[in-house]
Amino acid sequence: MSTPARSASSLADRVVPTILVVDDDAFQRKLGGKLLEAAQYRLVYAESGAQALGILRRIRPDLILMDVVMPDLDGIET
């Protein structure tokens, strides 16, 4: 493997994927966190669609897991 390829591979091994978990139900957020923390993802939580939009102004997660039915902005509107 060439040096640039090794460097890219080494960097990829150190990057921790970020997952944004959005749910108005605290139990569902906690359950999702317990299931995902074992895989050592960086987890970010939001309680509403509006809060998720605020978080998205600051970070770019690799994956968003979002409840579809929420009181303020639902998952589809968000």
Side-chain angles (χ1 to χ4, degrees):
M1 191 182 302
S2 70
T3 302
R6 269 189 237 131
S7 295
S9 177
S10 175
L11 179 61
D13 290 340
R14 290 181 294 184
V15 173
V16 178
T18 300
I19 299 175
L20 173 58
V21 179
V22 186
D23 200 311
D24 59 316
D25 183 338
F27 176 77
Q28 294 297 329
R29 287 192 310 274
K30 187 173 182 176
L31 178 63
K34 286 292 181 191
L35 293 171
L36 295 168
E37 73 183 8
Q40 300 183 348
Y41 295 111
R42 176 178 173 236
L43 300 173
V44 180
Y45 299 95
E47 298 178 8
S48 68
Q51 188 179 28
L53 291 174
I55 290 169
L56 289 171
R57 288 185 185 94
R58 292 177 280 135
I59 66 165
R60 295 285 180 229
D62 299 290
L63 178 68
I64 301 172
L65 300 176
M66 184 175 301
D67 185 3
V68 175
V69 180
M70 292 186 288
D72 62 345
L73 288 172
D74 65 36
I76 294 172
E77 289 174 316
T78 303

